[in-house]
Amino acid sequence: MAGMVIYAAVLVALALVLPMDWWDRRASHVLLGIGAISAWRYGWGITNLTRSLIYRYIIFPPLRRQCDAMGDEGMPSHVYLLLTSFRIDTETTHTVYRAAMLEAANCGSDVTLVCSIVEMSDQRLIKHLFEALEMPERVKLVFVRIPGTGKRDAIAQGLRVIAKLMPPPDAVVALIDGDSILEPGLLRGTLPFFKMMPRMDALTTDEVCEVRGATIFRDWYNVRFAQRQIGMSSVALSKRVLTLTGRMSAFRASVATSPAFIADVEEDYVDHWRLGRIKFLTGDDKSSWYSILKSGREMLYVPDRVVTTIETPPDPDFLRSATVLMRRWFGNMLRTNERALKLGTKPMGLFVWWSIFDQRMSMWTGLIGPTAAIIAACAYGWGPLLLYGYWVLLTRYIQTLGLLTARSKVKWSYPALMYFNQIYGALIKTYIFFRQDQQKWTRQNTVSVRNVGWFNARVLAHSSLAMHAVAVLTFVSLILIYLGLARNPVSSLAALLP
């Protein structure tokens, strides 16, 4: 908190020393224009924060009390824990599977651990651990060996094995990543909701992380997960979520083992008007989410139960790691959101539909402020840009304090990381938006390969570049018009350039 106090003192000092002559009539016009867009964005942020607080402190607590009161009677008669592992270090594998086995032993239900793995060394480790823990008779261990063809195949093969085991009608399947640790009591604290809420087909939980890397990586992930807690809780007020994370999400077995659901996860794709058919390489959590979303069934977010994920950045350099991860995350989001929007409001409600739409809009609205400030600096001098910088410092400080509603502490670095996520994330989104066929899975170091021929591949690459360039020029031109700086935006933009 000392860092946050110093940060606040710097804000006060800067407010006292900023020259007033920077705030002339022309510069103020530009900044007020930026403020109008900001009012919309911050209004949306306040709406989500308010809905999050309502859900976590008013709506969810009675559900929690009802869930806890059910005790063992609320648990499914059979639980299937499907864990997928590939190229994960031995220490992490041991920690993850030990936690899953202990949860299986303590949850009170019959449990089948289905381990969908590639390497024999993982099978030996898991089997040895299972025997060493002396698991009760009601806990069974099943292995599914597959070639290293990807997580989607691992999940699909595991679900087919579960289907052959003939799950009882009230059974539940939990999909768990090989780097996700189930905290004690997680199954008892989540699975009874399936009996309580008959219209609910899937749920997911809060996440925290253990990061193996520099401090900046740990702070960055913590900011993301704190923002996720607020955003997911807000959408949960509408009985939906925005993703059924692959780290740990639970489904009714009757849904998860249906051929339609398995096909949605294993062979998911979208047909793009320009890029053609794009088969999903990553993003299985978005595929499972979309499968439930289009059915119109409810989903639940459990904000008071946590899965701990072990995060290993793909590169020691922060910017390179952020680039790789954002390209994967935002690519999955953009490829799925368009078809989700086409479903309309009926299966999800207006607020959830608008939240999905806002994910696409934010890649442009997030860039309006800095772009307008840079244009104003070219036209009027450094004053508007420096005042905008102060505005960023102030607003991100306030937003960071808002994260205290989701986490017990924050750090002075969070404002800078939040602004980085906004600007750099928006740039990555706009890049991926025109290149949705580009995919890469970091752990397996595999990329999507499309059999379109050399000539067609070059045409698609150049058309993506051309459309991206046109979109950027249109974006800048609209800002010039909006701020009243140009009647002829092309000539005005040229005049601003050296």
Side-chain angles (χ1 to χ4, degrees), residues 186-230:
L186 182 117
L187 296 181
R188 283 184 177 272
T190 56
L191 301 191
F193 286 111
F194 285 96
K195 283 192 176 180
M196 285 175 48
M197 307 171 70
R199 284 191 51 80
M200 187 264 292
D201 277 353
L203 62 78
T204 192
T205 69
D206 187 16
E207 293 182 27
V208 296
C209 59
E210 293 180 6
V211 181
R212 295 173 178 174
T215 301
I216 189 172
F217 287 108
R218 183 162 57 250
D219 292 346
W220 185 56
Y221 275 104
N222 286 336
V223 167
R224 287 186 56 84
F225 284 134
Q227 292 177 311
R228 177 184 181 274
Q229 171 80 326
I230 293 173

Side-chain angles (χ1 to χ4, degrees), residues 63-234:
L63 297 178
R64 166 54 61 205
R65 290 191 291 270
Q66 186 179 350
C67 173
D68 293 344
M70 295 177 71
D72 289 341
E73 293 182 1
M75 290 293 294
S77 59
H78 205 118
V79 178
Y80 298 86
L81 303 182
L82 173 54
L83 296 99
T84 57
S85 297
F86 182 52
R87 291 183 179 174
I88 296 175
D89 63 273
T90 300
E91 180 184 355
T92 298
T93 299
H94 182 276
T95 303
V96 167
Y97 279 86
R98 185 177 187 278
M101 290 174 188
L102 292 177
E103 271 296 279
N106 295 329
C107 75
S109 300
D110 292 339
V111 180
T112 300
L113 287 157
V114 181
C115 308
S116 190
I117 58 177
V118 175
E119 291 143 335
M120 179 58 74
S121 58
D122 283 340
Q123 181 171 334
R124 294 195 189 99
L125 171 64
I126 295 165
K127 187 174 181 180
H128 174 75
L129 181 61
F130 187 84
E131 294 171 350
L133 290 175
E134 299 181 353
M135 302 300 291
E137 196 67 27
R138 57 183 175 78
V139 180
K140 308 297 182 183
L141 183 64
V142 175
F143 288 102
V144 181
R145 291 286 303 280
I146 67 165
T149 51
K151 184 181 172 185
R152 288 179 177 273
D153 290 341
I155 293 174
Q157 293 300 331
L159 291 176
R160 291 192 180 101
V161 168
I162 294 173
K164 291 178 181 179
L165 296 175
M166 304 295 290
D170 68 334
V172 172
V173 175
L175 304 183
I176 305 167
D177 267 2
D179 56 2
S180 302
I181 304 170
L182 303 186
E183 295 298 315
L186 182 117
L187 296 181
R188 283 184 177 272
T190 56
L191 301 191
F193 286 111
F194 285 96
K195 283 192 176 180
M196 285 175 48
M197 307 171 70
R199 284 191 51 80
M200 187 264 292
D201 277 353
L203 62 78
T204 192
T205 69
D206 187 16
E207 293 182 27
V208 296
C209 59
E210 293 180 6
V211 181
R212 295 173 178 174
T215 301
I216 189 172
F217 287 108
R218 183 162 57 250
D219 292 346
W220 185 56
Y221 275 104
N222 286 336
V223 167
R224 287 186 56 84
F225 284 134
Q227 292 177 311
R228 177 184 181 274
Q229 171 80 326
I230 293 173
M232 292 283 274
S233 297
S234 172

Side-chain angles (χ1 to χ4, degrees), residues 268-342:
D268 202 5
Y269 63 87
V270 292
D271 289 319
H272 191 275
W273 69 273
R274 180 174 57 85
L275 300 171
R277 176 157 294 186
I278 303 172
K279 184 179 178 181
F280 286 15
L281 175 65
T282 62
D284 56 277
D285 53 342
K286 286 293 187 180
S287 299
S288 60
W289 167 77
Y290 179 72
S291 186
I292 303 296
L293 183 73
K294 66 184 180 182
S295 72
R297 299 283 287 179
E298 294 176 0
M299 309 173 209
L300 180 70
Y301 182 64
V302 184
D304 63 347
R305 292 296 183 269
V306 176
V307 170
T308 300
T309 64
I310 299 175
E311 305 287 352
T312 304
D315 192 284
D317 181 82
F318 173 73
L319 188 61
R320 286 198 293 265
S321 281
T323 303
V324 170
L325 293 170
M326 284 181 172
R327 289 186 64 172
R328 175 160 62 88
W329 295 335
F330 297 147
N332 296 336
M333 181 198 74
L334 291 170
R335 282 184 286 271
T336 302
N337 282 19
E338 183 175 356
R339 59 181 179 173
L341 291 172
K342 290 179 179 178

